[in-house]
C-alpha cells in the first residue's frame, strides 16, 4: 500500500491515513474521498512553488470551494468575494493583478474574519496548507447557524463533500509516488 507510505511521508493527519487504509489504490481512495480539505491539502503538497501554473490551478480550485461560504455572509459584505475574485484573476494571469493585490484583498477579507476567502486568496502566496483551509473554513461558515453539535457536524461534512466533488472535477486523477 504505497499510498499509505506516501501519506505518512507527507505527514498527513492520522485520520486521513487511517481512512485511506481501506483502499487498495490511491485512485480508489481519491474517488471515494468526501473530505475536500484532505484532497486540497494533498494537492497543495504536490502543486509546486507559488506562481507556478500548477499552484495557480490549485488556487482556482480552492476559490471554488471558498465560494461555498459566500451565501452565509451578512448581506452587503463583499470583501470575501473580492478576495476570491482577486485570487482568481491572479491565478488566471489577468494583467495588472499582482500577488500583492491578492494579499491586500485577503487582508481586507480577514478584517471581517471570513477565513474561507482569505485562505483561498493566500493559497498561492502562503504555504501548501492554505488551500485545504479554504475548504474547512467554507464548511465552518456553512454551519455557522447550526446550533446543535450534530447539526453543525452534519453541515460541515455536507460542505466538505461538495468541496471534494469540486476538487475531483478539477483533478480527476491523483498521483501518489
Amino acid at each position: 500500500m504505497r499510498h499509505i507510505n506516501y501519506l505518512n511521508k507527507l505527514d498527513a493527519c492520522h485520520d486521513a491515513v487511517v481512512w485511506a487504509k481501506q483502499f487498495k489504490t490511491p485512485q480508489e481512495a481519491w474517488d471515494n474521498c468526501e473530505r475536500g480539505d484532505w484532497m486540497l491539502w494533498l494537492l497543495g503538497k504536490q502543486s509546486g512553488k507559488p506562481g507556478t501554473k500548477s499552484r495557480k490551478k490549485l488556487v482556482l480550485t480552492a476559490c471554488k470551494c471558498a465560494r461555498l461560504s459566500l451565501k452565509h455572509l451578512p448581506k452587503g459584505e463583499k470583501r470575501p468575494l473580492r478576495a476570491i475574485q482577486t485570487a482568481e484573476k491572479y491565478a488566471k494571469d489577468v494583467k495588472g493583478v499582482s500577488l500583492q493585490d491578492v494579499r491586500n484583498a485577503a487582508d481586507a477579507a480577514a478584517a471581517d474574519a471570513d477565513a474561507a476567502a482569505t485562505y483561498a486568496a493566500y493559497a498561492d502566496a502562503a504555504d501548501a496548507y492554505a488551500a485545504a483551509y479554504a475548504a474547512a473554513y467554507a464548511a465552518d461558515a456553512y454551519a455557522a447557524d447550526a446550533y446543535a453539535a450534530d447539526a453543525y457536524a452534519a453541515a460541515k461534512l455536507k460542505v466538505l463533500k461538495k468541496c471534494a466533488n469540486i476538487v475531483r472535477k478539477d483533478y480527476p486523477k491523483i498521483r501518489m509516488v
Side-chain angles (χ1 to χ4, degrees):
M1 300 214 318
R2 210 174 52 181
H3 62 290
I4 301 305
N5 292 334
Y6 182 67
L7 291 173
N8 283 324
K9 180 180 171 185
L10 294 177
D11 201 24
C13 74
H14 174 76
D15 290 346
V17 173
V18 169
W19 177 85
K21 285 181 180 179
Q22 68 183 306
F23 300 100
K24 292 181 181 180
T25 69
Q27 189 63 48
E28 184 183 359
W30 187 258
D31 291 344
N32 288 284
C33 187
E34 294 185 350
R35 292 288 307 260
D37 55 339
W38 290 353
M39 298 167 82
L40 286 168
W41 175 86
L42 179 59
L43 291 167
K45 290 292 204 174
Q46 299 175 336
S47 67
K49 295 181 180 182
T52 61
K53 185 177 177 179
S54 59
R55 181 61 69 100
K56 287 182 177 185
K57 178 182 177 182
L58 177 59
V59 169
L60 291 172
T61 301
C63 286
K64 291 176 191 176
C65 291
R67 282 179 175 275
L68 296 172
S69 70
L70 293 176
K71 65 183 177 183
H72 303 285
L73 296 174
K75 188 174 179 155
E77 177 53 67
K78 299 293 183 196
R79 289 175 289 183
L81 174 61
R82 283 189 213 113
I84 293 169
Q85 290 171 331
T86 304
E88 289 168 337
K89 287 176 184 176
Y90 171 77
K92 293 176 181 177
D93 294 320
V94 171
K95 188 175 180 167
V97 180
S98 69
L99 193 51
Q100 188 58 50
D101 294 328
V102 174
R103 289 183 184 120
N104 293 342
D107 288 344
D112 217 29
D114 181 28
T118 303
Y119 284 110
Y122 274 121
D124 194 63
D127 62 32
Y129 301 104
Y133 293 139
Y137 282 108
D140 287 344
Y142 181 86
D145 292 333
Y147 296 106
D150 288 344
Y152 173 82
K156 184 174 182 173
L157 290 175
K158 183 177 179 180
V159 171
L160 288 173
K161 186 175 182 177
K162 285 181 181 180
C163 184
N165 289 332
I166 289 168
V167 173
R168 220 176 341 268
K169 186 175 180 182
D170 288 356
Y171 296 87
K173 301 288 183 199
I174 189 64
R175 64 176 174 83
M176 286 193 220
V177 248

